[in-house]
Amino acid sequence: MANDQTLILASGSPRRVELLAQVGIEPKRLMPMDLDESPRRTEHPRSLAWRLSVEKARAAAAVLKGMDEARGAYLLAADTVVSVGRRILQKPESVSEATAALTLLSGRSHRVYTGICLITPDGSVRQKVVDTKVRFRRLTSHDIESYLASGQWRGKAGGYAIQGIAGSFVVKLVGSYTNVVGLPLTETVALLSGEGFNVHDAWLEG
């Protein structure tokens, strides 16, 4: 049963926790991994999402090694990357960086890649990268200034959170909405189910 199985999430993201709760999954433990997320020279955005997700999963697995709570546990990690072409937009650390990101995204399409990595109880590693195309309407300077004042850009890849005010910026989305939020649910549930994690019992409980 899903609630008899253990999932450890190698992330501290409230958004990922909320998305898992949406499908009846509650991680037993959150383990955010503090890794250098800087892209390597010439690294493609998709490759970066892939690499960081597995590095976070393996880092968490190394910390958990030998601990009782890790026995029989599934370990899930994810990393989301926003890009315009090959240009990667990382989490802005200042208002000026967030302004530059939103200005770049204004009136154009960009891609959101989320790498997901699952380490199963027997140590097998399963990975997938999900890609969503998003187009923003043209943003006015007032749009950008007001959004920055809201603070919703902080800690977000690309400087925005689609589930908040920035949802009003989106004129077209092709692919997974939950991927843009931070965890593609269809692919995550399929990955877990395919490796024997029963996600359905919680649904039957209502």
Side-chain angles (χ1 to χ4, degrees):
M1 293 176 60
N3 53 10
D4 291 332
Q5 294 175 309
T6 298
L7 177 71
I8 296 172
L9 181 63
S11 172
S13 167
R15 297 171 299 284
R16 291 186 179 128
V17 173
E18 289 168 2
L19 286 168
L20 287 171
Q22 187 176 321
V23 291
I25 299 173
E26 182 179 354
K28 181 177 181 180
R29 179 173 176 179
L30 304 182
M31 292 188 65
M33 293 291 103
D34 186 17
L35 303 180
D36 181 2
E37 298 185 4
S38 303
R40 295 170 179 168
R41 188 178 179 187
T42 74
E43 189 167 32
H44 189 277
R46 175 184 288 272
S47 301
L48 177 62
W50 178 280
R51 176 173 65 83
L52 290 179
S53 65
V54 73
E55 286 183 357
K56 289 178 179 180
R58 286 177 172 161
V63 173
L64 289 165
K65 189 174 182 180
M67 293 185 183
D68 288 342
E69 68 180 298
R71 293 197 184 105
Y74 291 77
L75 176 59
L76 179 68
D79 191 83
T80 300
V81 174
V82 176
S83 71
V84 176
R86 290 183 64 96
R87 180 173 175 178
I88 295 168
L89 303 183
Q90 295 183 284
K91 297 173 184 176
E93 297 183 356
S94 65
V95 170
S96 61
E97 289 181 359
T99 300
L102 292 169
T103 301
L104 180 63
L105 296 174
S106 174
R108 68 198 312 173
S109 295
H110 61 277
R111 291 189 178 274
V112 180
Y113 300 91
T114 298
I116 49 177
C117 180
L118 179 69
I119 299 181
T120 66
D122 67 3
S124 298
V125 178
R126 299 287 183 262
Q127 283 184 270
K128 188 172 184 64
V129 176
V130 179
D131 171 12
T132 302
K133 186 176 181 180
V134 184
R135 183 175 181 84
F136 272 15
R137 63 175 171 81
R138 189 165 299 281
L139 305 178
T140 66
S141 58
H142 188 51
D143 286 329
I144 294 174
E145 289 168 7
S146 298
Y147 186 70
L148 294 174
S150 77
Q152 290 188 13
W153 58 274
R154 298 183 185 278
K156 308 299 192 304
Y160 77 94
I162 194 171
Q163 70 275 21
I165 296 167
S168 67
F169 300 163
V170 177
V171 294
K172 188 174 183 181
L173 185 150
V174 180
S176 167
Y177 171 82
T178 55
N179 179 49
V180 185
V181 179
L183 189 69
L185 280 182
T186 297
E187 292 78 7
T188 299
V189 168
L191 203 59
L192 285 165
S193 296
E195 295 302 323
F197 190 97
N198 191 340
V199 300
H200 298 106
D201 284 348
W203 301 4
L204 300 175
E205 294 169 6

Coordinates of all heavy atoms in Angstrom, one line a residue, residues 105-110 132-140 143 160 162 164-175 177 180:
L105 N 12.1 37.1 -21.0 CA 11.0 36.2 -21.2 C 9.8 37.0 -21.9 O 8.9 36.3 -22.5 CB 10.5 35.6 -19.9 CG 11.5 34.6 -19.3 CD1 11.0 34.2 -17.9 CD2 11.8 33.4 -20.1
S106 N 9.7 38.3 -21.7 CA 8.6 39.1 -22.2 C 8.4 38.9 -23.7 O 9.3 39.1 -24.5 CB 8.9 40.5 -21.9 OG 7.8 41.3 -22.4
G107 N 7.2 38.5 -24.1 CA 6.8 38.4 -25.5 C 7.4 37.3 -26.2 O 7.3 37.3 -27.5
R108 N 8.0 36.3 -25.6 CA 8.6 35.3 -26.3 C 8.4 33.9 -25.7 O 7.9 33.8 -24.5 CB 10.1 35.5 -26.5 CG 10.9 35.4 -25.2 CD 12.3 36.1 -25.2 NE 13.0 35.8 -26.4 CZ 14.2 36.4 -26.7 NH1 14.7 37.4 -26.0 NH2 14.9 36.0 -27.8
S109 N 8.8 32.9 -26.4 CA 8.7 31.5 -25.9 C 10.0 31.1 -25.1 O 11.1 31.5 -25.5 CB 8.4 30.5 -27.0 OG 7.1 30.8 -27.6
H110 N 9.8 30.2 -24.2 CA 10.9 29.6 -23.5 C 10.6 28.2 -23.1 O 9.4 27.7 -23.3 CB 11.3 30.4 -22.2 CG 10.2 30.5 -21.2 ND1 9.2 31.4 -21.2 CD2 10.0 29.7 -20.1 CE1 8.4 31.2 -20.2 NE2 8.8 30.2 -19.5
T132 N 8.5 21.4 -21.3 CA 7.3 22.1 -21.6 C 7.7 23.5 -22.3 O 8.6 24.1 -21.8 CB 6.5 22.4 -20.3 OG1 6.2 21.2 -19.7 CG2 5.2 23.2 -20.6
K133 N 6.9 23.8 -23.3 CA 7.1 25.1 -24.0 C 6.1 26.1 -23.5 O 4.9 25.8 -23.4 CB 7.0 24.9 -25.5 CG 7.4 26.2 -26.3 CD 7.3 25.9 -27.8 CE 7.7 27.1 -28.6 NZ 7.6 26.9 -30.0
V134 N 6.6 27.3 -23.0 CA 5.7 28.3 -22.5 C 6.0 29.6 -23.2 O 7.1 30.0 -23.5 CB 6.0 28.6 -21.0 CG1 5.1 29.6 -20.4 CG2 6.0 27.2 -20.2
R135 N 4.9 30.3 -23.5 CA 5.1 31.7 -24.1 C 4.4 32.7 -23.3 O 3.2 32.6 -22.8 CB 4.4 31.7 -25.5 CG 4.6 33.1 -26.2 CD 4.1 33.1 -27.7 NE 4.4 34.4 -28.3 CZ 5.5 34.7 -28.9 NH1 6.5 33.9 -28.9 NH2 5.7 35.9 -29.4
F136 N 5.2 33.8 -23.0 CA 4.6 34.9 -22.2 C 4.1 36.0 -23.2 O 4.6 36.2 -24.3 CB 5.8 35.6 -21.4 CG 6.0 35.0 -20.1 CD1 5.5 33.7 -19.7 CD2 6.8 35.6 -19.1 CE1 5.7 33.2 -18.4 CE2 7.1 35.1 -17.9 CZ 6.5 33.9 -17.5
R137 N 3.1 36.7 -22.7 CA 2.7 37.9 -23.4 C 3.7 39.0 -23.2 O 4.6 38.8 -22.4 CB 1.3 38.4 -22.9 CG 1.3 38.8 -21.4 CD 0.0 39.4 -21.0 NE -0.2 39.7 -19.6 CZ 0.3 40.7 -19.0 NH1 1.0 41.7 -19.6 NH2 0.1 40.9 -17.7
R138 N 3.6 40.0 -23.9 CA 4.6 41.1 -23.8 C 4.3 41.8 -22.4 O 3.2 42.2 -22.2 CB 4.5 42.1 -24.9 CG 5.6 43.2 -24.9 CD 5.7 43.9 -26.2 NE 6.0 43.0 -27.3 CZ 7.3 42.5 -27.6 NH1 8.3 42.9 -26.8 NH2 7.5 41.8 -28.6
L139 N 5.3 41.9 -21.6 CA 5.1 42.5 -20.3 C 5.5 44.0 -20.3 O 6.5 44.4 -20.9 CB 6.0 41.8 -19.3 CG 5.9 40.3 -19.1 CD1 6.9 39.7 -18.1 CD2 4.4 39.9 -18.8
T140 N 4.7 44.8 -19.6 CA 5.0 46.2 -19.5 C 6.0 46.4 -18.4 O 6.2 45.5 -17.5 CB 3.7 47.0 -19.3 OG1 3.2 46.7 -18.0 CG2 2.7 46.8 -20.3
D143 N 4.1 45.9 -15.3 CA 3.9 44.4 -15.0 C 5.1 43.9 -14.2 O 5.0 43.3 -13.2 CB 3.8 43.6 -16.3 CG 2.5 43.8 -17.0 OD1 1.4 44.0 -16.3 OD2 2.4 43.7 -18.2
Y160 N 10.2 33.3 -12.0 CA 8.7 33.4 -11.9 C 8.1 32.1 -11.4 O 8.7 31.0 -11.5 CB 8.1 33.8 -13.2 CG 8.0 32.6 -14.2 CD1 6.9 31.8 -14.4 CD2 9.1 32.4 -15.1 CE1 6.8 30.8 -15.3 CE2 9.0 31.4 -16.0 CZ 7.9 30.6 -16.1 OH 7.8 29.6 -17.1
I162 N 4.6 30.0 -12.1 CA 3.4 30.0 -12.9 C 2.1 29.8 -12.1 O 1.1 30.2 -12.5 CB 3.5 28.8 -14.0 CG1 2.5 29.0 -15.1 CG2 3.4 27.5 -13.3 CD1 2.6 28.1 -16.3
G164 N 1.4 31.3 -9.4 CA 1.0 32.5 -8.8 C 0.6 33.6 -9.8 O 0.0 33.3 -10.8
I165 N 1.0 34.8 -9.5 CA 0.6 35.9 -10.4 C 1.1 35.7 -11.8 O 0.4 36.1 -12.8 CB 1.2 37.2 -9.8 CG1 0.6 37.5 -8.4 CG2 1.0 38.4 -10.7 CD1 1.3 38.6 -7.6
A166 N 2.3 35.1 -11.9 CA 2.8 35.0 -13.3 C 2.0 34.1 -14.2 O 2.2 34.1 -15.4 CB 4.3 34.4 -13.2
G167 N 1.0 33.4 -13.6 CA 0.1 32.6 -14.5 C -0.6 33.5 -15.5 O -1.0 33.1 -16.6
S168 N -0.8 34.8 -15.1 CA -1.4 35.8 -16.0 C -0.6 36.2 -17.1 O -1.0 36.9 -18.0 CB -1.9 37.0 -15.2 OG -0.8 37.7 -14.7
F169 N 0.7 35.8 -17.1 CA 1.6 36.2 -18.2 C 1.6 35.2 -19.3 O 2.1 35.5 -20.4 CB 3.1 36.3 -17.6 CG 3.3 37.3 -16.5 CD1 4.5 37.2 -15.7 CD2 2.4 38.3 -16.2 CE1 4.7 38.1 -14.7 CE2 2.7 39.2 -15.2 CZ 3.8 39.1 -14.4
V170 N 1.1 34.0 -19.1 CA 1.2 32.9 -20.0 C 0.1 33.0 -21.0 O -1.1 33.0 -20.7 CB 1.2 31.6 -19.3 CG1 1.2 30.4 -20.3 CG2 2.3 31.5 -18.3
V171 N 0.5 33.1 -22.3 CA -0.5 33.0 -23.4 C -0.6 31.7 -24.1 O -1.6 31.4 -24.7 CB -0.3 34.1 -24.5 CG1 -0.4 35.5 -23.9 CG2 1.1 34.0 -25.1
K172 N 0.4 30.9 -23.9 CA 0.4 29.5 -24.5 C 1.3 28.6 -23.7 O 2.4 29.0 -23.3 CB 0.8 29.6 -26.0 CG 0.7 28.3 -26.7 CD 1.0 28.4 -28.2 CE 0.7 27.2 -29.0 NZ 1.1 27.3 -30.4
L173 N 0.8 27.4 -23.6 CA 1.7 26.3 -22.9 C 1.5 25.0 -23.6 O 0.3 24.6 -23.9 CB 1.2 26.2 -21.4 CG 2.1 25.3 -20.5 CD1 2.1 25.8 -19.1 CD2 1.5 23.8 -20.6
V174 N 2.6 24.4 -24.0 CA 2.5 23.2 -24.7 C 3.3 22.1 -23.9 O 4.5 22.2 -23.8 CB 3.1 23.3 -26.1 CG1 3.1 21.9 -26.8 CG2 2.4 24.3 -27.0
G175 N 2.6 21.2 -23.3 CA 3.2 20.2 -22.5 C 2.6 20.1 -21.1 O 1.4 20.4 -20.9
Y177 N 1.8 21.2 -17.4 CA 1.7 22.4 -16.5 C 2.4 22.1 -15.2 O 3.2 23.0 -14.7 CB 0.2 22.7 -16.2 CG 0.0 23.8 -15.2 CD1 0.1 25.1 -15.5 CD2 -0.3 23.4 -13.9 CE1 0.0 26.1 -14.5 CE2 -0.4 24.3 -12.9 CZ -0.3 25.7 -13.2 OH -0.4 26.6 -12.2
V180 N 6.1 22.8 -15.1 CA 6.5 24.2 -15.0 C 6.4 24.6 -13.5 O 7.2 25.4 -13.0 CB 5.6 25.1 -15.8 CG1 6.1 26.5 -15.7 CG2 5.6 24.7 -17.3

